[in-house]
Amino acid sequence: MFTAVLLIFFWRKVVVQRIISVLGSLVVLVLSIGLFSKTWHWGYLVMQAGNWKAPFGITFVSDAFSSTMVLLTGFSGLAVSMYSTVGISRQRIQYGFFPIFHFLLLGLNGAFLAGDIFNLYVWFEVIIISSFVLMTLGGKKPQVEGGIKYVTLNLLASVMFLTAIAILYGLTGSLNMADLSLKMATIHNKGLIGVTGLLFFIGFGIKSAVFPLYFWLPSSYHTPPSAIAAIFGGLLTKVGIYALIRVYTLIFIPDTFTKNIFLIIASLTLLTGAFGALTKRNMRMMFSYLIVCHIGYLLGGLGMYTTLALAGTIFYLIHDIIVKTTLFLVSGLIYKIRGTMNMDELGGLYEDYPKLSLLMAIVFFSLVGIPPLSGFWPKIYLFRETFTTHSWYLLVAMILASLLTLYVIAKMWGDVFWKKKPAIEKSTDDFAAMNWRSKFMLVAPIALLVFISLYIGFCAERINVLSERIANDLLHPKPYIEAVMGPKEIISPQSN
């Protein structure tokens, strides 16, 4: 927030804005590393705003899950901030790109650290407002069309979310998530609890782009510049998944019927996203459908609802945020080189830029899940748990989605990198014409995220430890509740 407010005072000074944005993002990353480190060693960090004790005040909670999400936001935010210094036009920067971008990061971090269900809604609204402005910045017709679809569906999701909060408050008289976990365990009207949980699922499901609520995402994510699409693709849909996981492990413990609904919707999300990507010739449209497809893995892990399935979901979430952010930055770099994202008009990229092509190949191989890269390891958890829980249709959907992702990426690689240059080609290469500083600011963020992705893959045992700890914390929320509410006799929601 401090960075965003400071940037407002330099509205027309483009160079100063670029410097402040990168430095501000760097400071946030350092702070998020510190927050993660302290949370890892101390377990839970709780702040009661205004010193009002829970459940009456506004609570912020940093546990292993939320601090990990803040850390991932820090890395993605720094990478996109660096890329934007060159990847976003001077005109858009003068329209206020950087302040709005940092307000978006503010909303993301606020949502991850919120310990109060209503304030989670407030942070969602900050995210929606900021993202709508970023999506329509520049006012081009495709952007406005995509923005209208985006904001319409997300406002509908917000209405559902707010309605569910109102019912929840009517049932319990509380909005603090730890307090809600205690009080929900004592309510006997399970039918009303189930309906309320369903409203939350619809609200968060729209934001996460699950089947059949996903169609707004491919229609809108391909319209803004790549830097904006990167933060959208990497983090915005994941906030909805984060909220689903938090709510359905702390407040609404899913019964067998709810788990089956999750598994069916996860399977359909996997298949519709994969088949949608199969038909697209625009790279950004194809990547947008792959976002939808891979949300299915995350929802499937939640639906199986075992410790290992949740650990696989967390691992996949960590991998997916980094890879999807990188993927859209890569698409932007390709656009700088060739001036198009239509694969029919692309080709010869490996011949012209072999080193860059190899860097991009790591991203694509990680996305597919080629061992030992980051996308491979969480699938072991998820595939294994489909056998444990006998979720055979989810297993079939996961296998088909993996094979279709491999086919789509292999075909894209052949068309964009190995195919000969087509006769129709842009006369100039904007990337080649740049000075070395501009090239560095475009390539360095991609290299940073690729390094993180490689670390996730080659140091998978460390990510396993983190994922399993988060999964255990989620399924055994007593320490979380005690950290927020203070030690007391707790009725475990799991035993209900």
Side-chain angles (χ1 to χ4, degrees):
M1 184 174 70
F2 177 81
T3 304
V5 172
L6 183 62
L7 283 162
I8 293 172
F9 290 95
F10 299 94
W11 194 267
R12 292 290 176 183
K13 299 185 184 298
V14 172
V15 175
V16 177
Q17 282 200 56
R18 289 169 174 161
I19 294 169
I20 292 173
S21 176
V22 174
L23 290 177
S25 298
L26 186 60
V27 170
V28 169
L29 175 59
V30 171
L31 292 173
S32 65
I33 292 170
L35 179 68
F36 176 82
S37 177
K38 287 184 178 180
T39 305
W40 181 257
H41 290 103
W42 295 355
Y44 296 89
L45 301 177
V46 179
M47 190 193 83
Q48 309 290 358
N51 208 27
W52 286 84
K53 290 184 178 181
F56 305 107
I58 296 172
T59 303
F60 291 92
V61 186
S62 176
D63 62 355
F65 192 17
S66 56
S67 62
T68 298
M69 297 300 289
V70 170
L71 180 61
L72 292 169
T73 304
F75 280 117
S76 297
L78 176 62
V80 173
S81 186
M82 290 174 64
Y83 187 94
S84 300
T85 59
V86 178
I88 297 295
S89 68
R90 187 180 186 90
Q91 183 186 28
R92 277 196 173 94
I93 293 174
Q94 289 179 329
Y95 281 155
F97 167 79
F98 280 119
I100 300 299
F101 171 69
H102 284 277
F103 276 122
L104 175 62
L105 296 180
L106 163 72
L108 290 166
N109 284 331
F112 294 139
L113 295 170
D116 178 287
I117 195 75
F118 182 77
N119 281 284
L120 178 62
Y121 165 79
V122 172
W123 291 118
F124 267 76
E125 293 308 294
V126 173
I127 293 168
I128 289 174
I129 294 166
S130 303
S131 54
F132 178 67
V133 174
L134 288 175
M135 187 170 284
T136 56
L137 205 63
K140 293 182 180 179
K141 186 180 177 182
Q143 286 180 263
V144 175
E145 287 179 356
I148 293 298
K149 295 171 188 173
Y150 172 81
V151 79
T152 302
L153 265 294
N154 275 274
L155 285 176
L156 176 61
S158 295
V159 171
M160 302 292 284
F161 187 8
L162 195 57
T163 304
I165 290 172
I167 298 171
L168 201 57
Y169 184 71
L171 280 171
T172 63
S174 180
L175 293 168
N176 184 284
M177 287 195 276
D179 193 38
L180 284 169
S181 183
L182 293 175
K183 291 183 174 177
M184 291 297 280
T186 64
I187 293 173
H188 300 295
N189 190 342
K190 301 305 177 186
L192 189 55
I193 290 174
V195 171
T196 309
L198 182 62
L199 287 173
F200 275 107
F201 176 73
I202 295 171
F204 295 142
I206 293 173
K207 294 176 186 294
S208 305
V210 302
F211 178 90
L213 311 168
Y214 67 90
F215 57 88
W216 60 268
L217 191 150
S219 300
S220 55
Y221 273 28
H222 72 287
T223 56
S226 295
I228 297 172
I231 207 73
F232 284 11
L235 283 164
L236 256 61
T237 50
K238 310 310 182 297
V239 182
I241 289 292
Y242 168 85
L244 272 176
I245 294 171
R246 183 68 80 184
V247 164
Y248 274 93
T249 55
L250 190 60
I251 301 172
F252 303 98
I253 308 305
D255 55 18
T256 304
F257 175 77
T258 305
K259 291 176 189 176
N260 287 331
I261 291 293
F262 283 4
L263 293 174
I264 292 168
I265 293 176
S267 302
L268 293 171
T269 303
L270 283 161
L271 295 175
T272 51
F275 282 113
L278 195 62
T279 62
K280 296 295 173 282
R281 297 298 296 162
N282 180 289
M283 284 182 67
R284 286 268 294 277
M285 284 284 283
M286 186 184 76
F287 293 159
S288 296
Y289 272 100
L290 288 177
I291 291 174
V292 175
C293 173
H294 297 160
I295 289 293
Y297 288 106
L298 301 170
L299 187 59
L302 179 60
M304 288 185 283
Y305 212 79
T306 65
T307 302
L308 285 179
L310 274 177
T313 297
I314 301 302
F315 199 140
Y316 200 94
L317 185 63
I318 294 168
H319 143 80
D320 204 53
I321 288 171
I322 297 299
V323 168
K324 288 299 193 308
T325 305
T326 319
L327 202 62
F328 281 92
L329 294 183
V330 164
S331 70
L333 184 56
I334 292 172
Y335 186 81
K336 288 285 182 186
I337 294 170
R338 290 288 188 255
T340 181
M341 293 198 193
N342 186 342
M343 289 188 280
D344 295 327
E345 299 173 13
L346 289 167
L349 207 61
Y350 183 82
E351 183 182 350
D352 293 345
Y353 294 94
K355 292 178 182 178
L356 274 181
S357 298
L358 291 174
L359 183 68
M360 295 175 190
I362 297 171
V363 183
F364 299 136
F365 290 160
S366 297
L367 178 72
V368 172
I370 302 296
L373 299 176
S374 60
F376 172 72
W377 304 108
K379 288 183 181 179
I380 293 177
Y381 277 118
L382 296 172
F383 277 67
R384 174 183 170 182
E385 286 307 286
T386 57
F387 287 94
T388 304
T389 58
H390 307 293
S391 306
W392 307 122
Y393 48 91
L394 179 63
L395 175 63
V396 171
M398 284 181 174
I399 292 171
L400 281 173
S402 297
L403 291 174
L404 287 171
T405 301
L406 174 61
Y407 173 79
V408 164
I409 294 299
K411 194 171 188 307
M412 182 273 298
W413 179 267
D415 288 344
V416 176
F417 293 87
W418 282 349
K419 184 182 72 180
K420 291 291 183 184
K421 292 181 188 178
I424 303 170
E425 189 186 350
K426 207 178 79 159
S427 57
T428 58
D429 181 342
D430 290 344
F431 182 75
M434 291 178 179
N435 58 45
W436 72 269
R437 290 187 185 86
S438 297
K439 289 181 179 178
F440 176 82
M441 294 305 280
L442 286 177
V443 176
I446 296 172
L448 169 66
L449 294 178
V450 166
F451 174 79
I452 295 168
S453 180
L454 288 173
Y455 177 84
I456 294 169
F458 287 101
C459 299
E461 70 280 1
R462 296 185 179 181
I463 310 300
N464 281 342
V465 171
L466 171 62
S467 301
E468 288 178 4
R469 173 168 166 176
I470 292 172
N472 275 304
D473 287 351
L474 291 170
L475 290 177
H476 303 91
K478 183 177 178 180
Y480 176 98
I481 297 167
E482 286 186 341
V484 175
M485 304 296 296
K488 57 178 69 179
E489 184 179 349
I490 291 174
I491 302 170
S492 171
Q494 298 296 331
S495 64
N496 219 40

